[in-house]
Amino acid sequence: MPQLKDAAYWRAQSTDLLVEARAFIAGAYVGASDGETFAVHSPIDGRELAQVALCRGPEVDRAVAAARGAFQGGGWAELMPRQRKAALLRWAALMRAHAEELALLETLDTGKPIGDTTAVDIPSAIYCLEWFAELVDKVAGEVPACDPQFLGTVTREPVGVVAAIVPWNYPLLMAAWKFAPALAAGNSVILKPSEKSPLSALRIAGLAREAGIPEGVFNVVPGDGETGRLLSLHPHIDCLAFTGSGAVGRQISRNAADSNLKRVWLELGGKSANIVMADCPDLRRAAQAAAAAVFSNMGQVCSAGSRLLVQRSIAEAFIAELLEAARAYLPGDPLDPASVTGSLIDDAQYQRVRHYIELGKREARLLLGGEGCAVVPGGHYLQPTIFATDASSRIAREEVFGPVLSVIEFDELDDAIALANASEYGLAAAFWSADLGAIRRASRGLRAGTVWVNCYDELLDMNFPFGGFKESGNGRDNSVHALDKYSELKSTIIRC
Ligand code: NAD
C-alpha cells in the first residue's frame, strides 16, 4: 500500500531528518576554522534546525584557492563537454533520488508549503541542472566571414572562478539558476546561500561529490552578509552572480569595482504590474491568476504581481472576484500538503511586511486581510492583504516582499502602460485583453524582462531568459543566454 503523505507523515519525517551543517570546500565537509557557527531556525515554529558553520576570511580563501586550483588543473574545464554533461546529469539524478528529503529540508528551512517544495522548488532546480547539462555539448562557436587569407574563430571559454550569492525565497532554485550554467560552461563555483536558508545547498554538495564532480569545482560557504562581502572583494574571483536586494547589489558592484573588477551579474527586486483591461477574456481566471501572482510563496517572489492595474469600468466586478480568489491563500501548517501558503521567512520579514500593512491602512483603503494569523505557535503567518490605492502611495511603489496587493484603477491603455513603467523596477509585467493590437502595444511598451499575456507566472521554462530592465538587474538567468554570463568570448585569427 502506498504511504499516505499527510501532515503526520511529514512531521514524522522531519524528526528523523539529518541536517548537514558544515561548509563544503575542496570536496569535503568542514567546520569553520575557529569553530564559529550561526543558528538556523525553522520559520514554521521557530525551532532551531542547526548550528551552521560561519565562513569568514579563512574559509573564503580556502574555497577560492580550491576553486582556482580545480579550474587551473583542467579536471573540469578541459573535460569534453559530454563528460561534463554526464557528471551534471548524474548529480541531477541523485537530487531526484533525494527529492523528498530536499523538499522537506526546504520547507523546514523556509516555511513554504511542502506541496510547493515537492512540486515546484526541487523539481524546478533539478530541471534547471538537467537543462544546462543537456545544453553543454550542443553550443558551438562561430567562424565569422572575413578576408579569405585568414581563418577566424570565436570560441567560448569559462570565466574561471564564479561566486554565486543567493537569497532565501527559493533557496535551491535560485542557486541552480547560477551554478548550473556556470558549471556547464566549465567554471568552478563557490555558492553562498542565504544565512536564513542554507540547508539544501549544503546537502546537495555531498551529492555533487557522489556524482563525481571533481574536488574544488563546487564549494558551499554558508555565512551572512559579511561572508558575501568578502567574496565580492576577493581578488581571485572572476565573476560574481547575485540574486537579492538592490541595496546589496549596489554594494557588490562597488566592491567589485574596488577590487579586481570582477564581472557582476545582478538579479534584483521588482514591483511588477498586472494590467487587466475591460475586454479581458475571462475575468474569473484573471482574478484567480492575480491572487496567485501575489500570494503564492507568501508574496516573497521577485516577480510577484504586487501592483494590480484594473480598468475603471470593470473594477468593481473584478475586485469582487479577486477577493473571493484571495481567500484561498490563507496560510496553513507548511507540513500539511493541503496548505497553499505557509510562514514568512522570519520575524524580521514579518515585521517589515506588518510595517507596510500599517502604512497601507493609513494611506490606502483596506479591502482584505491586514492581520497576522495564529497557525503554528512560533511561526510568522499573515493574512493575504489587499488595498485599493493610487499609484503615489508607498505600498504601491515599494517592494513589500510579502502577501500584500495594491489595486489601482486606470482609464485608458496608455495610462496603464505609463503607470506600469513608472517604477525603478522592470522585472515582469502581465497584460489581460482580447485585443491583439492592444496586446502588441502593451508587450512593446512595457519596460520589463518578461511580459505575460492572459496569464501570470506561466512558462517559467528554461528556454526563456529571466531577468530585469532598469533597477531589477542586468544579464539574464536561464536559457542559452545565461551562458554568456559565465563565458569569455575569444577571437582567434589565423593567417593562412
Ligand atoms: P539580500 O540582498 O538581503 O540577501 C541576498 C544574499 O546576499 C544573501 O545570501 C545575503 O547573505 C547576501 N548579502 C547580504 N549582504 C551582503 C553584502 N554586503 N555583500 C554580499 N552579500 C551580501 O536579499 P534577500 O532578503 O535574501 O532576498 C530578497 C530580495 O531578493 C528581494 O529584493 C527580491 O526581489 C530579490 N530577489 C530577486 C530575484 C530575481 O530573480 N530578480 C529572485 C529572488 C529574490
Side-chain angles (χ1 to χ4, degrees):
M1 269 261 290
Q3 207 164 7
L4 180 64
K5 292 187 176 165
D6 56 7
Y9 169 84
W10 290 109
R11 273 185 216 116
Q13 295 295 110
S14 65
T15 54
D16 293 342
L17 195 67
L18 290 177
V19 174
E20 179 53 69
R22 292 167 296 172
F24 188 82
I25 300 174
Y29 282 112
V30 290
S33 51
D34 59 2
E36 276 291 300
T37 58
F38 62 98
V40 173
H41 295 274
S42 175
I44 296 177
D45 52 10
R47 94 179 111 119
E48 186 176 301
L49 294 171
Q51 283 287 336
V52 172
L54 178 61
C55 292
R56 287 285 184 250
E59 294 73 35
V60 167
D61 285 344
R62 280 195 58 212
V64 174
R68 174 68 55 200
F71 181 66
Q72 283 170 353
W76 183 250
E78 298 299 326
L79 285 181
M80 279 194 286
R82 68 168 191 261
Q83 292 173 306
R84 276 207 301 279
K85 166 170 112 175
L88 294 175
L89 288 177
R90 282 197 300 276
W91 191 18
L94 283 166
M95 285 190 205
R96 209 175 279 291
H98 291 269
E100 189 172 283
E101 176 197 345
L102 289 168
L104 183 55
L105 264 182
E106 206 78 310
T107 286
L108 292 172
D109 215 2
T110 60
K112 60 170 74 191
I114 191 75
D116 281 4
T117 53
T118 50
V120 180
D121 291 67
I122 305 305
S124 305
I126 296 169
Y127 161 54
C128 172
L129 183 55
E130 289 171 341
W131 196 91
F132 281 103
E134 291 289 356
L135 179 69
V136 60
D137 61 350
K138 291 163 195 79
V139 281
E142 298 160 25
V143 182
C146 66
D147 182 333
Q149 293 190 57
F150 294 84
L151 172 66
T153 61
V154 181
T155 48
R156 266 180 200 278
E157 294 183 5
V159 179
V161 175
V162 174
I165 300 180
V166 296
W168 45 261
N169 61 338
Y170 288 87
L172 195 59
L173 183 58
M174 292 300 101
W177 282 12
K178 312 291 188 212
F179 70 68
L183 291 172
N187 299 281
S188 298
V189 168
I190 301 162
L191 171 63
K192 195 205 83 65
S194 167
E195 61 275 32
K196 299 181 185 185
S197 59
L199 302 181
S200 54
L202 293 171
R203 179 66 185 100
I204 62 158
L207 300 178
R209 179 173 59 190
E210 219 177 308
I213 310 281
E215 189 180 305
V217 169
F218 181 72
N219 307 274
V220 183
V221 289
D224 54 9
E226 174 59 14
T227 316
R229 193 184 70 85
L230 292 168
L231 290 166
S232 67
L233 282 167
H234 206 289
H236 299 129
I237 289 175
D238 303 297
C239 167
L240 196 152
F242 173 75
T243 296
S245 60
V248 173
R250 282 186 163 80
Q251 288 173 33
I252 286 176
S253 297
R254 278 187 215 112
N255 290 345
D258 288 344
S259 53
N260 62 336
L261 274 174
K262 55 182 69 63
R263 283 111 186 81
V264 172
W265 301 109
L266 304 172
E267 295 288 349
L268 307 174
K271 189 76 187 176
S272 298
N274 184 11
I275 304 171
V276 185
M277 302 295 293
D279 69 346
C280 162
D282 184 340
L283 277 194
R284 175 159 298 167
R285 199 163 65 80
Q288 286 167 349
V294 68
F295 299 130
S296 299
N297 210 42
M298 296 67 72
Q300 302 167 134
V301 182
C302 51
S303 55
S306 52
R307 285 190 294 158
L308 178 67
L309 310 184
V310 190
Q311 200 158 21
R312 204 174 307 278
S313 57
I314 55 154
E316 201 180 324
F318 190 80
I319 288 170
E321 293 280 3
L322 174 71
L323 295 180
E324 185 61 34
R327 292 194 174 92
Y329 291 86
L330 273 174
D333 179 352
L335 289 172
D336 184 344
S339 298
V340 177
T341 61
S343 171
L344 269 67
I345 187 72
D346 63 6
D347 189 53
Q349 186 66 12
Y350 180 84
Q351 296 304 342
R352 185 185 133 89
V353 178
R354 288 300 303 247
H355 172 76
Y356 272 108
I357 290 175
E358 292 313 313
L359 197 66
K361 285 178 181 171
R362 290 201 295 276
E363 63 180 4
R365 188 159 55 90
L366 182 68
L367 300 178
L368 185 76
E371 299 298 331
C373 297
V375 177
V376 184
H380 318 285
Y381 301 88
L382 264 180
Q383 294 174 346
T385 296
I386 302 179
F387 288 102
T389 183
D390 62 52
S392 65
S393 67
R394 279 185 61 194
I395 48 161
R397 287 184 289 113
E398 298 177 19
E399 186 183 44
V400 176
F401 224 57
V404 180
L405 176 63
S406 295
V407 184
I408 301 157
E409 295 179 23
F410 68 88
D411 291 305
E412 301 297 334
L413 170 60
D414 289 342
D415 303 335
I417 295 174
L419 279 172
N421 288 340
S423 167
E424 69 264 34
Y425 296 115
L427 192 55
F431 187 73
W432 298 76
S433 167
D435 176 346
L436 194 54
I439 290 171
R440 179 72 183 139
R441 262 168 69 201
S443 80
R444 276 192 68 82
L446 289 166
R447 304 277 299 155
T450 298
V451 177
W452 288 291
V453 177
N454 294 333
C455 61
Y456 203 100
D457 254 343
E458 293 290 346
L459 218 66
L460 284 178
D461 186 304
M462 280 295 136
N463 288 296
F464 291 87
F466 183 87
F469 284 30
K470 302 191 272 182
E471 292 187 27
S472 287
N474 61 351
R476 294 293 181 266
D477 281 332
N478 306 346
S479 84
V480 69
H481 301 286
L483 284 186
D484 295 343
K485 303 202 292 196
Y486 307 111
S487 319
E488 295 287 10
L489 290 179
K490 179 177 281 179
S491 296
T492 303
I493 293 137
I494 307 164
R495 181 184 276 280
C496 301

